Amino acid sequence: MSHSTAAANTPRERRRSRARPGVSLLASGEPMVWLTGGALTVAVSMIVGLMLLVLYNGSGTFWPVPITRVELPGGGRLMGEITRVERYRLTKPLVENLSGPVADAAAAKLAGRDSVDTERRLFRVGNFELTQTHFQWASDYEVAPGSEIRPEWAILAERVEWGRCVGELGQFVVRYRRVPSPDEEDLTSLVQWLETRLPAVPDAERPPLEAALARLRELVETRRRDNIREFLAQATSEASWRAVLEDGSEVALNEIQPQAAVVELRQVWTEPAAAWAKYLEAHPQVRERFQQRKHLERHEIGRVNNAIEEARLAVRGAEISTRSASLDKLEQLRQTRVQLDAQEAEWAALLARWEVLKREAKRPDERLRPLVDAAESLLRAARAEWEQARQEPLAAAAAMEAELAKLPEPLRDAGNRLLEVQQRGDEESSSIQRTIQSMNAENDRFELRLMAADGAAVAVPLSNIVRAYPANRLETAAAVGIYLERWWEYLTDEPREANSEGGVFPAIFGTVAMTLIMSLAVVPFGVLAALYLREYARGGPIVSVVRISINNLAGVPSIVFGVFGLGFFCYLVGAFLDGGAANAGLQTWPSYAWYGGLFVLVALALAAFVIGLRIASGERARSLMWSRVALGLWLVATALLVALLFGNPHFGGFFADRLPNPTLGKGGILWASLTLALLTLPVVIVSTEESLSAVPNSMREGSYACGAGKWQTIRRIVLPQAMPGIMTGMILAMARGAGEVAPLMLVGAVKLAPELPIDSSGPFVHPERSFMHLGFHIYDLGFQSQNSEAAKPMVFTTTLLLIALVATLNVAAVWLRGRLRKRFRLGQF
Amino acid sequence: MSANAGSSPSAANSATANSAAANTAAANTAAANTSAASIAAASYASASAGAASASHGNSGGSAGSVGAGPGSGSMGKGNQSARLQESGLARIARGEKVAAIVHESVWDDEPVLEVENFSLWYGEKQALHDISLPVPKGKVTSMIGPSGCGKSTLLRCVNRMNDLIGTVRIAGSMKLNGDPIYDRSVDVIELRKRMGMVFQKPNPFPMSIFENVVYPLRIDGERNRQTLAEVCEKSLRGAALWDEVKDRLNSSALELSGGQQQRLCIARAIASEPEVLLLDEPCSALDPIATGKVEDLISDLRGDYSILIVTHNMQQASRISDYTAFMYLGRLVEYGPTAEIFTRPRLSETNDYITGRFG
């Protein structure tokens, strides 16, 4: 040791020992490898961890879980899916807070100790209308020993209303309502009419009529009984049949009295397997009809309403242009006409019923004769009353029509059209309503009856069931089927139950549409701006300031952009487009000043243009001064143009007829996209500039040397080579935009907007509509939901979906970029 | 940078100083003199141990004394001798006006390009001094000289590539077939279409071979497939590349080797039938074999095209060119038929340069 120390004292020895490899850790670089590698590992594992968490939680949401039933000490029962298991420490104070049988069970669990580890499980019990809760905790000491079972026929039904229903399969019921024959109905109403009219008949003539009426009643009764007999005959031996009487009592078929007024037959399956088989058979048809009905309600009635609204807006527009009012009067006139029409129809129906009676009387039944004979006088009296009742509305209608005729012509035409459209619309929608009602009646015939945990019966109409399955009887294949079906519903359907159930299709659509519109807006602008900065602008302090400002723009909090978007796009530009300058709270110019301003603008622009031309053609010596003058003129002209545009006294807005309801003057997908475009502009500009500067100058020089102009060089040489970089910028911008939520809350994203921005009505594209957005949906589910426990898994699922969506958009863009690169390598431009 | 003289490393320092001196236009100050002397010394002397100090001044330089020890002067190292002191190069380096020797025989051929009293400044820095030379039609004219002597600058002035630099100012004139190049009414784009240019490094565009060749026609809006194909074949044949690429015209030009790429650039340059072909050290980035092919090609193009070539390689100049111009520090020194320049130059400085004793 001492030897070597001595040797190391000579400088050469010292150097040699230092240079020996492996002696200095820093020199060998090993620590840096570990440091850098470790940093990467930590970063990657955090990202992967997050992804796995989202993937695990998000993908498990839709898996059908078995239903467990337990008995509680108080005699209650819990039945439902177990969604979570937690361990906690049961302590004495906790137990002291309890009371009743639960306290005893807890004390027994504690067994004199201070505290003990215990477990509790969260049951998704469903049946909110009965239990007033969706979830319930059960600690393990609460569960009666040995009471935990999985009932074989436990059914989980996802309902359109009231959320999930959990119960054991009780019955499957199909109802058949008796349909009275048309004659029976006509005669019944005639009897009712006669009962109101007869007291007005002079006493002398009444007795024969009374007798005839009694005969008529008998006749009706016979008709009904025939009908009931026929009705009952259709009951087959299959399953058990029950009849429902007028008073609502239910009797077995063989116990029916001959006189019993049966209104309904019920076919009931009580054996679970058979009931379930019947349910499976009936449900798809019911569901189909339900969807048809929904379609009718939304699209057909929506179409009718749109037509009426359009006509109404036309009237409103005519009102604005003619400065007069008519809508109230039109509405009154319409109502009066509706009333008159109803009276008309009533009279016609009455006459038709008399015809039925006359037909009956022609047969050898003399006892009805007096009624037929008295018909004319009865009807005459009624007619007189009817006409009396009509006089006032008729006069009112005539007066209103006269008034309408006095209105200015465009308004009168629009008003007449509105009345016409309304009448047609009323007819159409009432026919649609009839269809819907018949569908509903048909659907209401089917009913699934479940037994809730506490034994209460829950009747679920089949039309209310989205999906039901016997959770404890599912085989793997069936479970996978339900899992996939739920995913499909999630991806293609609209939300239900305050967004915690159903699908998110509108949100997917809104997110994608918004991202695409945003890209369409931001990429051309960003690329043009970057082109100017990099290719045309001469470097200098101004360019540096612009560049720094753009970079700083990227650091502005996104909510600030939201506020700006709301203030500028919605409340200024939107309101201006809606109803002109006054609506946007701007001062309009007096007319003469405006035209004067227009003249000045044209003069300024012309002057600037001429100066620009002269600079372009020469005058080198003075070009700097003159170009400054031209620039100044252009700036002034632009400012004047904006002032003229927004101060225009002759522009009344495109949607003035809809005011005070804003059309563009509120949040919508267009404004949201433009706001995000502004937000992502720096990303595009910076990355485009980078890619432009990466194009070697030798390429540009080569192109110039071939005689290409500046723009030709940019278009043919620079842009194609920069395209992958520009695409990268677009990808970054899209990723940033699709994941942004805060500004959207202000400029158009809403909790629920089933109407998509693109649909089959009107101009087909509705950029003014509010929209749903996945990011906002996550926020809404996570923090605004009534049923937060049920919404929690949906938060993960939606997050997973959003990530997948952004990844898909990115992959698509990357693929496009790869294709561009390839094309460009192969040189097929 | 343009006036940065001296190609040998030992002269770098003094060259910088020299250029600075020249730029301040204080041509006759003692400091400038010294530095000019020192550059000359550094260039000519075979062994330069000492350093010329500023105090030596003009007379000191003429004495041919060896400089003081290290650190005594900031102007660089070098020997000085009376002979060198009086040489044209030294006078040029001092910033004096030296008349260029232009052999009378260059006027034998009709000039395609005439440069008349051409000067150029990069900002405050003058890079070309009063250059006049004719470029004969149908011949190969080469420009030689040490790095930074302005030959590339002059070449780039011919098709006004220097317009792209904002700070450039020029004086004098150039004429292409009698038409002025620097005139306010001249459309630069149209002017460039009359010339072809090939750069130091091959710069094929990232397109197919075909598109590369027809690029000058494309930007003119030519769409006729037939015309394009004909021009492509003709140009590629002209550039002796046709046989190598005729089967893969649609593959990327970037897949070609360096030499092929450079010949492709030549093909592109001759696609528009230029009146003059400008080659800016076309072989400097190529290996000897590729260089040989390009040189053969230039020889083949002689007669059909007027070629102005800048080269560092004197052998190359002597092999391929009909006329040679020797430039130094932004000035034309001697211009004449290549044979005369290389065998019996009128100036001894030219002789020194071509024999490698300087530069």
Side-chain angles (χ1 to χ4, degrees):
Chain A
M1 191 61 200
S2 63
H3 255 312
S4 66
T5 318
N9 281 343
T10 73
R12 176 174 293 195
E13 281 300 315
R14 202 156 40 210
R15 188 172 303 145
R16 187 175 295 162
S17 75
R18 210 180 281 153
R20 212 163 58 218
V23 170
S24 161
L25 264 179
L26 269 175
S28 70
E30 200 72 0
M32 287 318 286
V33 174
W34 283 98
L35 192 65
T36 51
L40 179 68
T41 313
V42 169
V44 166
S45 56
M46 282 197 292
I47 292 169
V48 168
L50 179 67
M51 287 292 141
L52 284 181
L53 180 78
V54 169
L55 192 68
Y56 174 76
N57 282 301
S59 58
T61 309
F62 296 135
W63 186 257
V65 182
I67 291 173
T68 309
R69 192 182 74 187
V70 296
E71 280 173 26
L72 302 180
R77 280 173 173 177
L78 282 184
M79 182 155 70
E81 299 173 344
I82 294 172
T83 54
R84 205 144 37 107
V85 180
E86 261 182 26
R87 295 197 68 78
Y88 73 104
R89 207 148 177 87
L90 183 69
T91 55
K92 256 190 183 148
L94 274 179
V95 175
E96 279 156 13
N97 281 336
L98 298 170
S99 61
V102 179
D104 300 341
K109 170 92 183 177
L110 206 55
R113 283 168 290 186
D114 277 342
S115 67
V116 60
D117 261 341
T118 186
E119 201 179 71
R120 61 176 189 167
R121 292 177 292 179
L122 186 63
F123 282 74
R124 184 165 194 184
V125 293
N127 301 354
F128 188 74
E129 75 275 29
L130 299 177
T131 58
Q132 304 305 314
T133 177
H134 291 284
F135 290 84
Q136 211 167 322
W137 285 104
S139 300
D140 56 357
Y141 58 82
E142 285 180 82
V143 174
S147 72
E148 183 173 328
I149 53 162
R150 290 184 173 173
E152 191 192 356
W153 279 103
I155 301 285
L156 189 137
E158 294 169 32
R159 296 178 292 182
V160 179
E161 286 158 0
W162 291 113
R164 296 183 172 195
C165 176
V166 178
E168 282 178 74
L169 185 54
Q171 299 171 331
F172 181 69
V173 179
V174 181
R175 303 157 195 258
Y176 300 84
R177 283 200 78 83
R178 184 178 74 83
V179 184
S181 66
D183 280 6
E184 181 193 334
E185 280 194 321
D186 277 341
L187 293 178
T188 311
S189 22
L190 191 61
V191 167
Q192 281 162 7
W193 185 76
L194 283 170
E195 279 166 356
T196 60
R197 303 300 306 179
L198 279 190
V201 175
D203 288 350
E205 298 165 29
R206 211 184 294 157
L209 289 182
E210 296 273 13
L213 183 59
R215 171 64 197 144
L216 186 59
R217 286 202 189 98
E218 249 172 65
L219 193 66
V220 171
E221 194 53 39
T222 331
R223 284 287 158 83
R224 182 189 300 170
R225 213 156 293 148
D226 292 348
N227 189 273
I228 288 175
R229 203 164 33 247
E230 253 173 62
F231 177 60
L232 290 180
Q234 66 175 307
T236 54
S237 59
E238 194 199 348
S240 59
W241 289 86
R242 319 269 298 169
V244 180
L245 306 185
E246 241 169 0
D247 56 5
S249 57
E250 217 179 287
V251 286
L253 219 50
N254 47 6
E255 295 162 11
I256 285 187
Q257 307 291 319
Q259 263 77 4
V262 179
V263 291
E264 193 180 289
L265 272 177
R266 284 185 187 167
Q267 198 176 10
V268 181
W269 285 266
T270 40
E271 202 278 308
W276 187 247
K278 278 289 155 191
Y279 160 78
L280 288 180
E281 199 179 294
H283 185 246
Q285 301 164 12
V286 171
R287 203 57 203 152
E288 173 99 348
R289 267 194 296 272
F290 179 79
Q291 299 290 5
Q292 279 174 6
R293 195 204 78 191
K294 231 165 86 179
H295 184 267
L296 281 180
E297 274 173 355
R298 173 163 314 158
H299 293 101
E300 297 301 307
I301 295 194
R303 191 173 49 79
V304 171
N305 288 346
N306 276 349
I308 294 176
E309 180 63 14
E310 238 167 67
R312 205 188 67 81
L313 289 177
V315 174
R316 183 84 189 94
E319 277 185 356
I320 291 171
S321 63
T322 59
R323 289 188 186 148
S324 44
S326 68
L327 271 177
D328 291 348
K329 272 172 257 164
L330 284 169
E331 179 60 22
Q332 281 172 13
L333 180 57
R334 185 182 79 89
Q335 280 173 4
T336 317
R337 281 186 179 173
V338 167
Q339 190 187 345
L340 290 170
D341 286 350
Q343 285 175 332
E344 205 89 61
E346 205 180 311
W347 186 256
L350 184 64
L351 290 184
R353 286 172 201 148
W354 274 105
E355 288 306 311
V356 177
L357 180 62
K358 280 179 193 162
R359 238 187 5 237
E360 291 293 335
K362 266 184 202 145
R363 294 184 204 161
D365 189 349
E366 284 306 313
R367 276 181 289 173
L368 286 176
R369 187 47 67 187
L371 266 179
V372 178
D373 294 339
E376 207 157 316
S377 63
L378 279 171
L379 279 177
R380 201 181 307 121
R383 177 81 190 182
E385 274 174 38
W386 183 77
E387 271 170 2
Q388 178 81 30
R390 276 171 72 81
Q391 244 161 26
E392 196 186 331
L394 271 177
M400 281 187 270
E401 270 158 19
E403 230 174 294
L404 187 60
K406 269 185 276 174
L407 287 174
E409 194 178 330
L411 185 53
R412 191 175 61 221
D413 291 349
N416 282 328
R417 244 191 65 72
L418 173 61
L419 287 173
E420 215 174 285
V421 170
Q422 266 172 338
Q423 195 186 352
R424 217 175 327 124
D426 285 349
E427 281 163 19
E428 268 183 63
S429 63
S430 66
S431 103
I432 295 169
Q433 287 294 358
R434 273 197 297 281
T435 320
I436 288 174
Q437 272 164 18
S438 76
M439 281 178 158
N440 279 348
E442 183 65 19
N443 270 355
D444 286 344
R445 289 175 47 220
F446 302 92
E447 195 174 281
L448 193 64
R449 292 185 179 176
L450 301 179
M451 266 175 353
D454 55 2
V458 188
V460 191
L462 247 59
S463 57
N464 198 7
I465 296 180
V466 177
R467 175 186 307 109
Y469 57 90
N472 296 337
R473 285 176 58 87
L474 286 181
E475 286 157 20
T476 314
V480 170
I482 286 169
Y483 179 72
L484 293 178
E485 197 188 314
R486 278 176 166 171
W487 263 111
W488 180 248
E489 184 199 4
Y490 181 70
L491 293 177
T492 58
D493 218 341
E494 284 164 14
R496 295 180 270 120
E497 292 293 311
N499 292 352
S500 66
E501 301 257 347
V504 290
F505 179 72
I508 298 174
F509 190 92
T511 309
V512 172
M514 189 210 67
T515 310
L516 291 184
I517 298 176
M518 178 201 79
S519 310
L520 283 183
V522 73
V523 171
F525 265 107
V527 170
L528 287 178
L531 269 180
Y532 186 84
L533 272 182
R534 181 58 64 179
E535 298 288 326
Y536 288 105
R538 290 209 175 122
I542 296 180
V543 169
S544 300
V545 167
V546 167
R547 206 166 272 147
I548 290 168
S549 309
I550 289 170
N551 284 327
N552 280 341
L553 208 60
V556 173
S558 58
I559 190 77
V560 174
F561 283 95
V563 174
F564 173 78
L566 184 71
F568 181 71
F569 289 127
C570 302
Y571 292 163
L572 185 69
V573 180
F576 176 73
L577 293 177
D578 266 0
N583 189 45
L586 298 170
Q587 207 74 39
T588 51
W589 296 31
S591 194
Y592 63 87
W594 192 79
Y595 282 111
L598 200 63
F599 179 77
V600 172
L601 172 66
V602 171
L604 280 178
L606 263 180
F609 185 67
V610 168
I611 293 173
L613 270 186
R614 287 190 51 141
I615 292 172
S617 67
E619 297 298 320
R620 268 173 182 251
R622 301 199 300 179
S623 69
L624 189 63
M625 197 261 279
W626 279 111
S627 64
R628 278 187 186 155
V629 170
L631 181 70
L633 284 180
W634 278 125
L635 286 179
V636 173
T638 312
L640 189 59
L641 177 71
V642 173
L644 285 176
L645 211 59
F646 282 99
N648 188 344
H650 305 290
F651 176 68
F654 295 117
F655 300 104
D657 44 5
R658 299 187 194 192
L659 288 173
N661 293 333
T663 307
L664 286 167
K666 61 174 177 49
I669 192 163
L670 178 66
W671 299 145
S673 302
L674 292 186
T675 305
L676 285 197
L678 214 58
L679 178 79
T680 51
L681 194 62
V683 180
V684 175
I685 291 183
V686 168
S687 65
T688 304
E689 263 208 90
E690 295 284 318
S691 65
L692 287 178
S693 62
V695 175
N697 253 333
S698 67
M699 291 292 157
R700 295 190 182 88
E701 285 189 343
S703 174
Y704 292 136
C706 286
K710 189 123 196 167
W711 173 242
Q712 281 174 320
T713 301
I714 289 174
R715 196 176 73 80
R716 290 174 179 271
I717 304 292
V718 179
L719 268 188
Q721 274 191 272
M723 198 47 91
I726 294 172
M727 294 291 289
T728 305
M730 194 177 101
I731 292 167
L732 289 174
M734 269 169 39
R736 171 105 203 259
E740 196 60 68
V741 181
L744 297 180
M745 291 180 175
L746 302 179
V747 290
V750 292
K751 182 185 173 75
L752 185 65
E755 287 196 313
L756 302 179
I758 294 176
D759 66 12
S760 56
S761 77
F764 307 113
V765 180
H766 308 273
E768 79 284 0
R769 276 191 188 162
S770 303
F771 64 107
M772 289 178 75
H773 184 272
L774 280 173
F776 184 71
H777 196 77
I778 292 172
Y779 167 76
D780 179 65
L781 280 174
F783 301 101
Q784 310 281 301
S785 182
Q786 305 280 333
N787 185 0
S788 62
E789 195 65 55
K792 206 154 76 177
M794 296 293 273
V795 170
F796 281 109
T797 315
T798 312
T799 309
L800 181 66
L801 182 66
L802 180 57
I803 292 174
L805 198 71
V806 173
T808 312
L809 284 175
N810 280 355
V811 166
V814 168
W815 173 80
L816 198 66
R817 181 176 67 182
R819 252 179 71 102
L820 275 181
R821 267 201 189 129
K822 209 152 126 206
R823 260 178 70 178
F824 159 76
R825 211 171 27 237
L826 291 177
Q828 280 165 348
F829 274 104
Chain B
M1 75 107 255
S2 68
N4 193 355
S7 56
S8 73
S10 65
N13 273 350
S14 46
T16 314
N18 165 47
S19 64
N23 289 326
T24 52
N28 286 319
T29 64
N33 252 337
T34 313
S35 66
S38 62
I39 168 65
S43 312
Y44 278 65
S46 51
S48 53
S53 77
S55 59
H56 276 87
N58 206 357
S59 56
S62 64
S65 64
V66 172
S72 69
S74 60
M75 289 305 177
K77 306 168 178 179
N79 267 341
Q80 297 158 348
S81 71
R83 182 173 73 90
L84 298 180
Q85 181 58 39
E86 293 312 313
S87 81
L89 297 187
R91 283 163 58 210
I92 289 173
R94 273 205 308 273
E96 284 176 26
K97 222 170 179 176
V98 178
I101 306 294
V102 178
H103 297 215
E104 300 70 28
S105 54
V106 301
W107 294 102
D108 292 352
D109 290 296
E110 183 196 350
V112 66
L113 182 73
E114 285 171 86
V115 181
E116 287 158 12
N117 305 102
F118 196 82
S119 299
L120 178 141
W121 292 262
Y122 288 118
E124 293 297 306
K125 190 184 288 182
Q126 188 165 11
L128 294 178
H129 296 264
D130 199 26
I131 289 176
S132 301
L133 83 168
V135 176
K137 183 174 276 181
K139 303 284 177 173
V140 179
T141 306
S142 64
M143 292 196 280
I144 58 174
S147 284
C149 69
K151 50 196 191 307
S152 282
T153 302
L154 182 63
L155 189 79
R156 291 163 61 88
C157 284
V158 175
N159 66 349
R160 289 180 66 173
M161 288 301 272
N162 282 331
D163 284 15
L164 300 174
I165 303 164
T167 56
V168 162
R169 193 159 53 84
I170 59 122
S173 72
M174 285 194 191
K175 277 185 188 149
L176 179 66
N177 278 330
D179 304 328
I181 290 175
Y182 286 91
D183 196 271
R184 197 161 290 152
S185 60
V186 171
D187 183 352
V188 183
I189 306 279
E190 289 306 316
L191 177 79
R192 288 189 190 135
K193 283 176 184 165
R194 294 168 65 184
M195 309 180 198
M197 186 165 184
V198 177
F199 295 83
Q200 279 188 25
K201 271 195 205 155
N203 60 348
F205 302 136
M207 313 166 167
S208 67
I209 294 171
F210 179 83
E211 288 298 330
N212 256 287
V213 177
V214 302
Y215 183 78
L217 282 78
R218 283 268 188 228
I219 56 177
D220 277 346
E222 178 63 57
R223 281 163 184 274
N224 188 331
R225 207 61 217 169
Q226 180 98 29
T227 316
L228 291 176
E230 277 168 15
V231 168
C232 176
E233 179 173 349
K234 185 161 160 281
S235 306
L236 284 173
R237 280 190 193 282
L241 196 58
W242 176 252
D243 292 329
E244 291 164 59
V245 301
K246 65 183 172 195
D247 300 325
R248 47 175 178 147
L249 288 177
N250 281 325
S251 58
S252 171
L254 302 181
E255 291 166 11
L256 298 175
S257 72
Q260 287 174 323
Q261 286 186 355
Q262 194 61 301
R263 278 181 284 151
L264 181 68
C265 291
I266 295 175
R268 185 174 70 197
I270 63 178
S272 56
E273 300 281 333
E275 292 165 38
V276 58
L277 194 55
L278 309 172
L279 309 180
D280 189 359
E281 299 181 37
C283 300
S284 64
L286 302 184
D287 65 64
I289 297 172
T291 302
K293 285 188 178 169
V294 172
E295 282 182 13
D296 289 347
L297 170 60
I298 293 170
S299 302
D300 290 346
L301 293 173
R302 185 200 319 264
D304 296 333
Y305 296 97
S306 313
I307 297 174
L308 183 58
I309 178 170
V310 165
T311 178
H312 254 129
N313 182 334
M314 274 167 294
Q315 281 72 33
Q316 190 176 55
S318 69
R319 275 195 300 270
I320 59 172
S321 66
D322 302 309
Y323 296 92
T324 300
F326 170 47
M327 291 178 68
Y328 181 66
L329 287 185
R331 286 178 202 273
L332 181 64
V333 178
E334 185 167 356
Y335 177 40
T338 302
E340 286 187 34
I341 293 283
F342 277 89
T343 54
R344 40 180 196 287
R346 295 189 191 169
L347 288 177
S348 57
E349 293 87 345
T350 313
N351 191 40
D352 285 342
Y353 182 72
I354 60 176
T355 52
R357 268 185 280 167
F358 156 72

